[in-house]
Amino acid sequence: MKRIAIAAGLLVMAAEPVQAQIVTRAAAPGAERIDLTRSSAGYTYFNRAGADLAQHDAALRACLVEGERMRQPDDNGAAGAAAAGGLLGALVVGVIQGAVNGMQERRGVAANLENCMVVNGWRVVRLDEADGKTLDAMEQAALHDALADRVGAAAPAGQIVRVYDNDAVRGDTVVIGRAGDLDKVSLSAQALPPTDAAPAPSRKGPQAPRTARPPRALKPEEVAIKPGDALVTVRLTGMAEQGGRTLIFTRQGPAPDVQPWENDGRPALFAVALPTRGAARGDRTRAVTQTFSVPPGRWRLSAINMGPYITHFCLGASGFEARDGEAVYAGAFDLSGEQMRPDMTLRDDLLAPTSPAAVAGARYRAADWTYGDRQTCEGAYLYALDLRPAVQDTPPFIVITPVEATPTTPSSTLQ
């Protein structure tokens, strides 16, 4: 049997139920939506025009390192059955659960390998069944040679089924959830030559101090600009089915693997969650506007999570500067819209309820989103997200005046 000479997370991948074909709009407009939780179906390999095998292999190894940082959450749905079955039930469920979790990890590694390669400019090419089976039956060395003329072809043999298209910003892209089915292991991964190089050790930084705990959203009467801090306001909207989804913002540190609180001991994260309940019975819409007092610095939309699943935009994140004494509006994000790109329109009726007399006359500035931040990957899935507004047609500043208003959506506290 052919040995798959790749990292441990992919060594024992077995064929699983066939998934739906995944094709980007760039390749076939109107085709099925992109799913970041699964790899493309069929016999596939990675291609980038002009690349050679050495570049192909180096890119794969780098993406495997990133992919193996990620972890799929344990599925504890069988815990109750185990308890009801006593010791024997617990043992049986433990064996089954271990196999399920291992399968989820393999699926996750395959999805993240493809996500990483696509973000880094590689295309996913699917072969027809006959050609794919012929290559799949080859030993590693022969398969590696067979891909030599394919990985760098400008017009590769097969169908280009996926390219990077800032997919995470689109509302119809599956960005988070349980790892999807794995159909076949990528031919590129199967062809990767074995290596004796030890993986680079991961850096384990110090534990965050109490002073670095994430701040809670301010109540209306608490909103004020404090010396040494900035105010950041975020609005989040969506429908009932998006309830519980959370946007995670992080502060940039001195290096991608160094947290800013390692230098200053101050918070480096805040999060905004879409409410799970509507303002009125039967109302399917959800909305929340929250303001946080945070340390000055560059803040990025680093991740989105739902329950235990986190999709981390570690391969390319968007962020903005919040300077000492500023009030910054980061925009309105609609999780149910065609795009998750923030609406940067500065409106009195939106900001005023969270800006009482304590900040009367404070000049709110629309965040200037820029793209390109890289971070150490964590969570279940990795990808990139460019949030730069396509058009900035609103004035850059708005002055908030005193109002007497009660917010319609209560603030929540981030534990």
Side-chain angles (χ1 to χ4, degrees):
M1 176 180 289
K2 177 173 61 180
R3 298 183 63 85
I4 302 176
I6 53 179
L10 289 173
L11 277 173
V12 291
M13 280 185 174
E16 297 176 3
V18 176
Q19 64 180 36
Q21 179 174 329
I22 301 174
V23 183
T24 63
R25 284 188 177 82
E32 189 168 340
R33 62 183 178 176
I34 295 296
D35 188 340
L36 304 185
T37 72
R38 66 180 70 199
S39 56
S40 298
Y43 297 103
T44 65
Y45 65 94
F46 297 110
N47 162 276
R48 189 176 69 191
D52 57 28
L53 270 178
Q55 293 170 320
H56 168 269
D57 295 349
L60 272 174
R61 294 190 197 283
C63 283
L64 280 170
V65 169
E66 296 297 340
E68 289 184 336
R69 296 182 194 273
M70 317 307 283
R71 291 290 181 269
Q72 295 296 310
D74 288 339
D75 184 350
N76 294 316
L87 177 60
L88 181 59
L91 292 174
V92 171
V93 169
V95 171
I96 296 174
Q97 200 59 51
V100 170
N101 291 337
M103 178 178 63
Q104 288 298 108
E105 286 295 338
R106 294 193 294 275
R107 292 175 174 181
V109 171
N112 283 318
L113 175 62
E114 183 171 303
N115 288 341
C116 177
M117 291 292 285
V118 168
V119 169
N120 283 296
W122 293 82
R123 303 180 288 192
V124 180
V125 181
R126 180 164 52 228
L127 299 173
D128 60 41
E129 192 75 5
D131 196 10
K133 282 185 176 180
T134 298
L135 293 182
D136 187 57
M138 294 180 178
E139 295 293 333
Q140 177 272 316
L143 177 57
H144 192 251
D145 291 341
L147 292 181
D149 295 332
R150 297 174 183 257
V151 299
Q159 178 189 11
I160 298 174
V161 293
R162 189 178 173 195
V163 298
Y164 179 71
D165 192 27
N166 196 27
D167 309 287
V169 81
R170 297 204 306 267
D172 61 351
T173 297
V174 178
V175 297
I176 197 165
R178 186 181 177 87
D181 292 340
L182 170 65
D183 179 22
K184 296 176 177 64
V185 179
S186 164
L187 294 170
S188 285
Q190 295 186 52
L192 189 63
T195 178
D196 295 329
S202 59
R203 177 183 182 274
K204 294 184 179 180
Q207 184 175 357
R210 293 176 62 89
T211 56
R213 287 183 175 178
R216 62 175 176 80
L218 298 174
K219 297 177 181 178
E221 63 271 17
E222 296 174 330
V223 176
I225 297 178
K226 301 177 182 178
D229 273 5
L231 291 179
V232 176
T233 297
V234 180
R235 180 167 176 79
L236 189 58
T237 61
M239 303 299 289
E241 50 267 34
Q242 285 97 37
R245 290 204 175 193
T246 303
L247 300 185
I248 301 173
F249 293 80
T250 63
R251 182 162 57 103
Q252 186 178 44
D257 62 344
V258 178
Q259 293 291 337
W261 49 255
E262 295 182 40
N263 289 343
D264 58 25
R266 305 197 65 196
L269 181 151
F270 70 86
V272 182
L274 189 68
T276 56
R277 294 184 179 182
R281 183 180 293 274
D283 185 3
R284 296 186 65 251
T285 63
R286 305 288 185 266
V288 64
T289 302
Q290 293 185 331
T291 298
F292 298 84
S293 184
V294 299
R298 178 171 174 79
W299 287 87
R300 301 85 53 97
L301 176 53
S302 287
I304 183 170
N305 90 285
M306 179 64 180
Y309 293 95
I310 298 175
T311 296
H312 194 194
F313 305 120
C314 54
L315 300 181
S318 299
F320 56 89
E321 293 290 335
R323 293 178 283 271
D324 188 357
E326 278 192 325
V328 181
Y329 180 54
F333 295 83
D334 184 2
L335 297 182
S336 63
E338 292 184 3
Q339 291 195 350
M340 198 177 67
R341 206 182 304 273
D343 179 355
M344 300 306 301
T345 305
L346 285 162
R347 305 198 317 263
D348 282 309
D349 62 333
L350 177 61
L351 295 175
T354 60
S355 306
V359 287
R363 189 166 67 168
Y364 257 86
R365 176 176 65 83
D368 182 15
W369 287 92
T370 57
Y371 172 75
D373 297 23
R374 296 289 294 256
Q375 305 163 62
T376 300
C377 293
E378 302 175 88
Y381 306 103
L382 51 79
Y383 207 61
L385 177 64
D386 186 350
L387 287 178
R388 289 174 293 184
V391 178
Q392 181 68 41
D393 56 1
T394 59
F397 295 101
I398 187 169
V399 176
I400 302 302
T401 54
V403 295
E404 295 294 334
T406 301
T408 57
T409 306
S411 299
S412 63
T413 300
L414 178 66
Q415 300 296 331

